[in-house]
Amino acid sequence: MPGPGQAVRPDGRRATARDVAAAAGVSRTAVSFAFNDPARISAATRKRILQVADDLGYRPDTVARMLSHRRTGSLGVLLPQGIPEVMENPYYAQFLVGLGQVCQQEGLTLLLVPPLRDSMLKAIPYAAVDGFVVCGLEVDRGEVAELNRRGIPFVLVDSEAPEEVPSVDVADEAGAEAMMAHLLELGHRRIAILAFEAGPDREQYGYRGPLGRRLTGISRALEAAGMSLDHPTIELIEARATKSAGFEAAHRLLARPDPPTALFALSDILAMGALDAAYELGFAVPDQVSVAGFDDQPEAAWVRPRLTTVRQAVETKGRVAGDFLVAAIRGQSQHPHQLLQATLVVRESTGPARILTS
Amino acid sequence: MPGPGQAVRPDGRRATARDVAAAAGVSRTAVSFAFNDPARISAATRKRILQVADDLGYRPDTVARMLSHRRTGSLGVLLPQGIPEVMENPYYAQFLVGLGQVCQQEGLTLLLVPPLRDSMLKAIPYAAVDGFVVCGLEVDRGEVAELNRRGIPFVLVDSEAPEEVPSVDVADEAGAEAMMAHLLELGHRRIAILAFEAGPDREQYGYRGPLGRRLTGISRALEAAGMSLDHPTIELIEARATKSAGFEAAHRLLARPDPPTALFALSDILAMGALDAAYELGFAVPDQVSVAGFDDQPEAAWVRPRLTTVRQAVETKGRVAGDFLVAAIRGQSQHPHQLLQATLVVRESTGPARILTS
DNA sequence: CTGAAAGCGCTTACAG
DNA sequence: CTGAAAGCGCTTACAG
């Protein structure tokens, strides 16, 4: 049932360039020129063709044009989670702001490509894009090879990137180490680390990617204090990267008889939940419990008390990844790597450890 | 420069089905079957083909396959603003969560399609999608006709939708009217309305779409109180839909000698900024100034004081739009319309008007 | 200025 | 089970 303005042929299909050519008494070449290269035909012919095209409601087919041009005009973002999870996470929103700036500038669209049947690998062949930004590839289960097979440029972000592939990463290790050192220096020893969940490959490969690097940095700071992640007063808990999961995890920790004196959330969104849990349970922050985050989302500076966290330039990360990808699509870049800073930002949510009663 | 695993032919192009067929000594048909319909060829032939394909690093071309199948496997979201602006707005994040659920369920990807050279219309022909969700089309400048011409299904959301087109909308008018009545009932008369910016068509067409409907609702409530939008103590200001723009607008209003007793922000993100401005200037909320929002973003329940606002089910909106679109793509639906509720949610940020000193 | 032809790669009835 | 052929629509050197 065609709507208004939608012209169809007798057989129910949309008009094609062939139909227009026939109706206007010209070749398909001429029709194509009328749309794409007006200078190549006479004004009169062009006018007639356009008129006929209008009457038939003709529009060049998008996909056919892409096939001829060998170009789609869109960038893909290969995601480690489903679109709903990603959109719930302000980290990704910020990342996509940066990537979106590149799209804006280049006139490109952005294709969100979630795992297909839980597999990033399987999603790769179905996306009509000129290149991929690959996010959070903690373990390469063949994705890199598959992308190479498609012969499509790509940039790895927040991943475990081999040397020969363009990548953008953050100095997660140094950032986490600095924060942990900050907490230890404040006298904290009973510390809970709230990690966002590792991917499904954790069992097999251990902690990898940004999470792995942050934990390495934490270990290093602990070792400098003669401790380790296995120390009895250090605790590592995983939670989904949502505020409510952070709330629940922190609530459980703080409700115990021997609550930690500091919570180090490995992402701000978890820290926000922890802050609310502290508020709910009547813990003064930072007097009774310190809360630290990671990322420095804009919200971190708005909450009360303002959140002590590790700043990473997420928007920049997206922009750089986009720039690298565009360069690669143009065949300009070799294998650029960018390592972005991660810096400690001390605000109000951390302070000296409370005196332990037990 | 091919990377590891990327096989190319002598001429530098990727291997095609033709190359595989030649190398395996079979027809292109057989190659296609090996990948798509294994039952149609013998196991031995298939094995040989797959082996050769592997050696050559062959992968069926995504776009060519789309052209044959007449199907892209992705939904488009036609946006009224650039991707950066959209991603900065939690409203859209929430909307995309809902739409993303549909993608998840159907195994589809999601293409973000921002205006091309400031025109939604111009962006339509270049997106390889099976259908569009069109957001915030305040005035139809030919977009609907263009979509019909492409012969592609679409659903209008937050738009001015004609009867014959599928649409999802919210009872903005009723919601805004309820909020305005609430404020008037609390005794407020000096009220500033913080509107998010209308599109560029405002000059020519006046307020349309959700903003127009909200203003209509507000007018109605004012009229019931013997007032109107032109009343000297009622003020309408526009601001970009960001927290900082809300902050600045509210700051300017509250810093005046005769500040309003109530701020009605037409989106929560603006209300958040207003709350911060009040805090900054030492205005107690709601004792010295009431602040109301619209949308009921999750944050609205977390801020202190908790925000009085109008709830609309944004995630549901996205999901319903996605469902409508998928049904239309399957040719199942006629012209479904959904009107979602908008309900007043009174929390802590509104209270009786302060006594005016002037 | 105009058109016949080859090309972008893949798929899929159809015939054997 | 296998392949020649037509088809998905558009583009673009090339020749006239």
Side-chain angles (χ1 to χ4, degrees):
Chain A
M1 22 152 200
Q6 179 180 10
V8 293
R9 306 184 306 196
D11 65 354
R13 313 190 75 119
R14 296 182 49 233
T16 69
R18 163 178 260 117
D19 300 321
V20 175
V26 295
S27 69
R28 269 140 77 232
T29 308
V31 174
S32 181
F33 285 157
F35 281 87
N36 307 315
D37 200 354
R40 304 262 322 246
I41 55 177
S42 71
T45 311
R46 172 158 197 250
K47 197 176 163 197
R48 181 156 41 94
I49 292 173
L50 258 27
Q51 179 59 55
V52 171
D54 229 59
D55 295 344
L56 297 182
Y58 168 75
R59 275 295 109 122
D61 181 83
T62 307
V63 173
R65 208 203 262 131
M66 283 181 180
L67 181 59
S68 289
H69 284 151
R70 309 263 0 115
R71 185 172 181 290
T72 65
S74 77
L75 304 184
V77 199
L78 194 57
L79 301 164
Q81 304 164 70
I83 295 172
E85 289 79 15
V86 164
M87 284 299 150
E88 256 174 37
N89 191 338
Y91 169 86
Y92 277 107
Q94 225 184 318
F95 181 78
L96 293 175
V97 167
L99 197 49
Q101 289 165 357
V102 178
C103 291
Q104 184 110 308
Q105 187 180 306
E106 306 285 332
L108 299 167
T109 55
L110 190 65
L111 185 70
L112 304 181
V113 184
L116 189 60
R117 281 172 267 121
D118 286 327
S119 158
M120 291 175 84
L121 181 65
K122 286 185 187 146
I124 295 172
Y126 296 101
V129 296
D130 293 329
F132 276 107
V133 169
V134 183
C135 292
L137 187 65
E138 290 181 3
V139 177
D140 178 8
R141 292 183 163 290
E143 283 84 356
V144 168
E146 182 68 24
L147 288 161
N148 277 323
R149 255 187 121 158
R150 258 201 72 174
I152 204 174
F154 59 96
V155 176
L156 261 39
V157 175
D158 286 334
S159 303
E160 290 271 321
E163 191 53 44
E164 65 277 12
V165 161
S167 69
V168 182
D169 276 293
V170 165
D172 293 291
E173 192 175 321
E177 183 177 356
M179 179 62 83
M180 198 64 183
H182 167 69
L183 294 174
L184 290 166
E185 204 171 308
L186 287 168
H188 295 279
R189 289 296 178 273
R190 194 173 290 176
I191 305 172
I193 295 150
L194 252 72
F196 49 90
E197 274 175 351
D201 294 320
R202 211 262 296 196
E203 296 281 303
Q204 197 174 347
Y205 297 94
Y207 291 105
R208 299 291 211 89
L211 179 54
R213 294 193 287 267
R214 289 175 201 179
L215 291 174
T216 303
I218 289 172
S219 288
R220 188 168 300 175
L222 283 169
E223 275 155 31
M227 303 171 70
S228 81
L229 273 174
D230 298 324
H231 195 276
T233 63
I234 302 295
E235 196 162 3
L236 175 64
I237 331 196
E238 289 189 32
R240 284 187 56 227
T242 65
K243 188 168 185 169
S244 57
F247 177 89
E248 281 156 31
H251 198 282
R252 240 177 297 121
L253 286 164
L254 295 175
R256 293 194 317 207
D258 58 338
T261 67
L263 299 175
F264 181 8
L266 264 28
S267 110
D268 278 357
I269 183 113
L270 289 172
M272 301 293 172
L275 239 30
D276 280 312
Y279 180 88
E280 178 104 354
L281 291 170
F283 275 75
V285 177
D287 293 346
Q288 293 177 279
V289 64
S290 287
V291 176
F294 202 111
D295 288 343
D296 197 26
Q297 302 278 323
E299 293 89 322
W302 292 104
V303 282
R304 302 302 135 104
R306 299 174 218 263
L307 188 69
T308 292
T309 187
V310 177
R311 172 177 302 159
Q312 61 162 318
V314 180
E315 194 178 308
T316 303
K317 201 196 291 191
R319 189 151 17 84
V320 171
D323 286 338
F324 280 7
L325 185 56
V326 167
I329 290 170
R330 295 203 184 112
Q332 292 170 350
S333 70
Q334 305 302 331
H335 315 297
H337 297 277
Q338 174 90 263
L339 184 68
L340 298 167
Q341 294 289 311
T343 56
L344 179 63
V345 179
V346 177
R347 295 203 181 95
E348 305 163 353
S349 67
T350 50
R354 70 167 191 278
I355 308 304
L356 296 178
T357 50
S358 59
Chain B
M1 30 171 182
Q6 179 179 10
V8 294
R9 305 184 307 195
D11 65 353
R13 313 189 76 118
R14 293 182 50 235
T16 70
R18 165 179 259 118
D19 300 321
V20 175
V26 296
S27 70
R28 269 140 78 232
T29 308
V31 174
S32 181
F33 285 157
F35 281 87
N36 307 314
D37 200 353
R40 303 261 323 245
I41 55 178
S42 71
T45 310
R46 172 157 198 249
K47 197 176 162 196
R48 180 156 42 95
I49 293 173
L50 258 26
Q51 179 59 54
V52 171
D54 229 59
D55 295 344
L56 297 181
Y58 168 75
R59 277 294 108 124
D61 182 82
T62 307
V63 173
R65 208 204 262 134
M66 283 180 180
L67 181 60
S68 288
H69 284 151
R70 309 264 358 117
R71 184 169 182 292
T72 65
S74 77
L75 304 184
V77 199
L78 195 58
L79 301 163
Q81 305 165 70
I83 295 172
E85 289 79 13
V86 164
M87 283 299 149
E88 257 174 36
N89 192 336
Y91 169 86
Y92 277 107
Q94 226 185 318
F95 181 77
L96 294 176
V97 167
L99 197 49
Q101 289 165 357
V102 179
C103 290
Q104 183 110 309
Q105 187 180 307
E106 306 285 332
L108 299 168
T109 56
L110 191 65
L111 185 70
L112 304 181
V113 184
L116 189 60
R117 280 172 267 119
D118 286 326
S119 158
M120 290 174 83
L121 181 65
K122 286 183 187 149
I124 295 172
Y126 297 101
V129 295
D130 294 329
F132 275 107
V133 169
V134 183
C135 293
L137 188 66
E138 290 182 3
V139 178
D140 180 8
R141 292 182 163 291
E143 285 83 357
V144 168
E146 183 68 24
L147 288 161
N148 277 323
R149 255 188 120 159
R150 258 200 73 174
I152 206 173
F154 60 97
V155 176
L156 260 40
V157 175
D158 286 334
S159 303
E160 291 271 321
E163 190 54 43
E164 65 278 12
V165 161
S167 70
V168 182
D169 276 294
V170 165
D172 294 291
E173 192 174 320
E177 182 177 357
M179 179 62 83
M180 198 64 183
H182 166 69
L183 295 173
L184 290 165
E185 204 171 305
L186 288 168
H188 295 280
R189 288 299 178 273
R190 192 173 293 176
I191 304 173
I193 295 150
L194 252 71
F196 48 90
E197 274 175 349
D201 295 320
R202 210 264 297 201
E203 296 281 301
Q204 197 173 347
Y205 298 93
Y207 291 105
R208 300 292 211 89
L211 179 54
R213 293 193 289 267
R214 289 176 200 180
L215 290 174
T216 303
I218 289 171
S219 290
R220 187 168 302 173
L222 283 168
E223 274 156 31
M227 303 170 71
S228 81
L229 273 173
D230 299 325
H231 194 275
T233 63
I234 302 294
E235 197 162 359
L236 175 63
I237 333 197
E238 289 188 31
R240 285 186 55 227
T242 64
K243 187 168 186 170
S244 56
F247 176 90
E248 281 156 31
H251 197 282
R252 239 177 297 121
L253 286 163
L254 294 176
R256 294 193 317 206
D258 59 338
T261 68
L263 299 174
F264 181 7
L266 264 30
S267 105
D268 279 356
I269 183 113
L270 289 172
M272 301 293 170
L275 239 30
D276 280 311
Y279 181 88
E280 177 104 354
L281 291 170
F283 275 75
V285 178
D287 293 346
Q288 293 176 280
V289 64
S290 286
V291 175
F294 202 111
D295 287 344
D296 197 26
Q297 301 278 324
E299 295 89 323
W302 293 104
V303 283
R304 304 300 134 105
R306 300 173 218 263
L307 188 69
T308 293
T309 187
V310 178
R311 171 176 303 159
Q312 61 162 318
V314 180
E315 193 179 307
T316 303
K317 202 195 291 189
R319 190 150 16 86
V320 171
D323 286 338
F324 280 8
L325 184 56
V326 167
I329 288 171
R330 296 203 183 113
Q332 291 171 348
S333 71
Q334 305 301 331
H335 314 298
H337 297 277
Q338 173 89 264
L339 184 68
L340 298 167
Q341 294 289 312
T343 55
L344 179 63
V345 178
V346 178
R347 295 203 181 95
E348 306 163 353
S349 67
T350 51
R354 69 167 192 277
I355 309 305
L356 295 178
T357 50
S358 59

